[in-house]
Amino acid sequence: PGSHFILGHMGTRRFGANFRDSLKGMFVDYADKYGVCSFWMASMRGVSVNSWEDARAVLQASTERKRLKLLAKHMNNFLGPRNIGVLRGKEWKYHRAAILRVFHSQATLVNSRSAMVNVTQTLVDSLKNQPQPLEIDIEPVMKMITMDVFGRTALSYDFGCCKNLEPSPFSVAFDFLGQDFLRRLRSPFIPTNAFYSIPTATNQRNAQENALIRDFLLALIETRRQEKLQNRSPNLLTSLLKAHDDLKEQAVEEMTDQIMVDNMMALLFAGFDTTSITLMYALYLVATNPEVEQQCLREIDGIWKQDGNLTDPDRLVYCGGVISETLRMYPPAFVVNRKVTKAIELSNGFVLPEGTMVLIPIFMIQRDPKHFERPEECLVERWIKRDGAGSAWVVRDANDTSCSDVPPGNRNAIFAFSGGARSCAAQKFAIQEATLVLANLLKDLKFTVKPGYVPYPQRNGIVQSPGGMPMTITVR
């Protein structure tokens, strides 16, 4: 109900001040008993699906995302016209195959661990040198650590954000372009937002920051290409250059340095906000659940006494469980869409015709009591359990019923990294990073929030975030 004869439901499917109420009004209130809700966006028909079975079926069946011209225009300016987020067909498959080859390599994961830990330790040392207790918004701090991890693992370059406790010029430029991208999407019909050629101060700065980033990456790509030829120690960039060379028979055009810049920009865009947001919420859940904090510290202390380091995420099972529960409760990407490329039958018997746009409300699916019992509670034991032979934590099977008071988590109902062929290629890398950073932060620092503080997610473009998170940090 409530559609406009020209605009359809575009006027009603908007986000209000309350993020969760807005999601509920969009995807739940008018859904049928199977969780399906139909709508019109101008002349475009669409449905939203709330059951994980339907969501999984759609994601597995289609890799096409509805391309909105306005979004594509601003994304091309921000990330470049050949960024993988807007590519289709053979060109997308070529770049996707190269990225998968890099991020699914065990060598990539292992080689990146020391950089992740070293960056975290640099941040810890910097924070220890600050007056204690330190009251601070941890959002910019988590962005600093995410940017430095990207620099070290992807580029073998130290941006120095964590050492100096301030963003580098590259970080400032990227953050500005990201915020400017979102601002233009929120107010698309203002001429100075729509046309970059209008000589406003914002448009001029956009061009300057864009040039700064692209010139930096172009110069670095040339350097790393020479290192690749010399078989120097690999990073994500040199590995990606090699993967593209190995798969060049699949390429539809010559792989230029400008296209590689677009690739690196897309990878940074995909991981920058999502990882920093995940870390913010994970620290909040630890700070507000004393038993969770104690279990993390016991695990960390035990591994530290044995190994003298926290570099193996496979041993940090409980900390990994905290990240899993964080991604369930607060998935950074709260909704994803697909364009149906062939007819799909949903669980209610309704057949989606080819060309239908499907919205998948990740946030609501992962908070649905039909999919997760006690969905508003932080229950790390959904994903892990005590080893029957000892006190160590182990990953919990989805069919495990050994813990009567905490039901096992349904991994099929988790879409924090999307699903299907367009799922996040760097999922393992991102989980490893979040787990190692969380553990190495908690080893030396205690994070607390004011009594009664609750983060309220807000829409921030294609992700949700709490809009900052005030915390007090003290040295343990």
Side-chain angles (χ1 to χ4, degrees):
S3 65
H4 187 273
F5 73 102
I6 295 178
L7 300 178
H9 295 92
M10 290 180 67
T12 59
R13 298 228 158 191
R14 293 179 178 175
F15 279 83
N18 189 302
F19 175 81
R20 294 192 63 179
D21 284 351
S22 297
L23 286 177
K24 183 173 179 293
M26 290 180 183
F27 302 114
V28 177
D29 288 348
Y30 299 108
D32 65 17
K33 64 180 181 179
Y34 299 96
V36 179
C37 178
S38 60
F39 59 87
W40 288 90
M41 291 292 187
S43 61
M44 181 174 58
R45 60 191 171 194
V47 300
S48 59
V49 295
N50 289 322
S51 80
W52 70 261
E53 295 92 343
D54 285 341
R56 189 67 60 185
V58 170
L59 291 171
Q60 293 290 349
S62 178
T63 62
E64 287 291 315
R65 289 187 288 212
K66 183 63 181 177
R67 178 182 284 184
L68 302 176
K69 291 183 179 179
L70 179 66
L71 176 63
K73 173 184 178 179
H74 293 306
M75 186 169 285
N76 288 349
N77 179 81
F78 178 22
L79 304 180
R82 317 309 292 175
N83 80 82
I84 193 170
V86 299
L87 298 182
R88 294 178 174 179
K90 291 183 179 179
E91 188 176 12
W92 170 76
K93 289 181 180 179
Y94 166 59
H95 291 290
R96 171 78 176 181
I99 292 171
L100 284 174
R101 177 173 291 198
V102 172
F103 281 103
H104 284 200
S105 164
Q106 185 64 20
T108 296
L109 295 174
V110 173
N111 291 339
S112 64
R113 291 173 182 174
S114 60
M116 294 172 178
V117 172
N118 290 340
V119 166
T120 309
Q121 189 58 52
T122 298
L123 177 65
V124 168
D125 293 341
S126 297
L127 292 174
K128 283 182 175 180
N129 289 329
Q130 299 299 305
Q132 302 291 320
L134 177 62
E135 295 185 0
I136 192 172
D137 178 5
I138 66 166
E139 180 177 32
V141 178
M142 294 303 104
K143 286 186 175 182
M144 289 177 200
I145 200 168
T146 305
M147 181 60 75
D148 277 358
V149 168
F150 174 81
R152 294 283 296 276
T153 59
L155 309 173
S156 295
Y157 187 89
D158 185 7
F159 287 116
C161 302
C162 293
K163 180 180 179 180
N164 301 317
L165 281 185
E166 63 179 33
S168 68
F170 183 96
S171 304
V172 171
F174 188 84
D175 197 47
F176 170 81
L177 291 176
Q179 294 303 316
D180 192 45
F181 167 71
L182 299 176
R183 182 185 62 80
R184 292 172 192 268
L185 290 181
R186 285 193 289 264
S187 303
F189 301 115
I190 297 176
T192 53
N193 288 348
F195 301 102
Y196 292 86
S197 58
I198 299 176
T200 64
T202 300
N203 283 344
Q204 290 173 344
R205 184 180 176 189
N206 184 288
Q208 292 168 357
E209 304 290 26
N210 213 316
L212 183 153
I213 287 179
R214 300 188 78 84
D215 289 347
F216 172 84
L217 290 176
L218 281 170
L220 206 57
I221 286 171
E222 178 58 31
T223 301
R224 299 297 179 255
R225 193 184 296 279
Q226 294 302 318
E227 292 177 355
K228 178 179 72 72
L229 294 175
Q230 299 167 12
N231 293 318
R232 297 275 295 276
S233 179
N235 52 46
L236 295 180
L237 175 55
T238 55
S239 297
L240 202 54
L241 288 168
K242 183 178 185 304
H244 278 94
D245 287 345
D246 293 344
L247 298 168
K248 61 184 177 182
E249 291 183 359
Q250 301 179 24
V252 297
E253 63 178 340
E254 181 184 358
M255 184 65 192
T256 66
D257 286 354
Q258 288 287 355
I259 296 176
M260 182 56 69
V261 169
D262 293 355
N263 269 273
M264 299 307 295
M265 288 290 287
L267 291 176
L268 177 55
F269 177 69
F272 181 61
D273 277 335
T274 53
T275 304
S276 59
I277 290 168
T278 299
L279 287 168
M280 273 195 292
Y281 282 122
L283 289 171
Y284 165 76
L285 291 177
V286 171
T288 54
N289 291 273
E291 179 59 25
V292 171
E293 181 180 33
Q294 287 303 312
Q295 293 295 349
C296 283
L297 293 176
R298 288 192 189 107
E299 178 177 73
I300 291 167
D301 185 58
I303 296 172
W304 184 263
K305 286 180 178 178
Q306 290 181 20
D307 301 345
N309 63 68
L310 300 172
T311 58
D312 186 355
D314 294 332
R315 298 194 64 196
L316 293 162
V317 179
Y318 193 89
C319 291
V322 173
I323 297 300
S324 294
E325 185 68 347
T326 302
L327 289 168
R328 182 195 69 81
M329 296 186 72
Y330 299 102
F334 59 92
V335 66
V336 67
N337 81 75
R338 288 292 185 271
K339 180 182 177 182
V340 175
T341 53
K342 62 180 180 180
I344 301 175
E345 183 175 352
L346 300 180
S347 56
N348 64 355
F350 180 74
V351 177
L352 298 179
E354 179 182 346
T356 303
M357 182 176 74
V358 182
L359 294 181
I360 299 170
I362 297 171
F363 195 99
M364 300 306 290
I365 290 174
Q366 296 182 178
R367 293 274 189 137
D368 192 327
K370 295 193 297 292
H371 305 143
F372 296 96
E373 294 184 36
R374 298 156 64 186
E376 301 302 319
E377 297 181 48
C378 173
L379 301 176
V380 179
E381 288 81 1
R382 297 181 201 274
W383 314 108
I384 58 176
K385 69 173 184 177
R386 289 286 191 185
D387 185 357
S391 60
W393 293 97
V394 295
V395 176
R396 188 175 180 185
D397 186 86
N399 299 317
D400 178 81
T401 57
S402 60
C403 184
S404 59
D405 60 332
V406 180
N410 180 2
R411 287 180 170 78
N412 286 322
I414 293 294
F415 298 95
F417 294 96
S418 189
R422 272 199 184 263
S423 63
C424 176
Q427 176 176 344
K428 292 181 180 179
F429 186 92
I431 291 176
Q432 171 177 284
E433 178 182 348
T435 302
L436 290 176
V437 171
L438 177 67
N440 282 276
L441 285 175
L442 294 178
K443 181 178 76 70
D444 293 313
L445 302 174
K446 181 176 179 62
F447 296 80
T448 57
V449 297
K450 292 181 179 180
Y453 169 79
V454 177
Y456 290 99
Q458 305 169 24
R459 182 185 182 183
N460 191 21
I462 61 175
V463 298
Q464 62 78 20
S465 73
M469 186 172 288
M471 280 193 160
T472 301
I473 302 176
T474 53
V475 178
R476 293 191 186 278

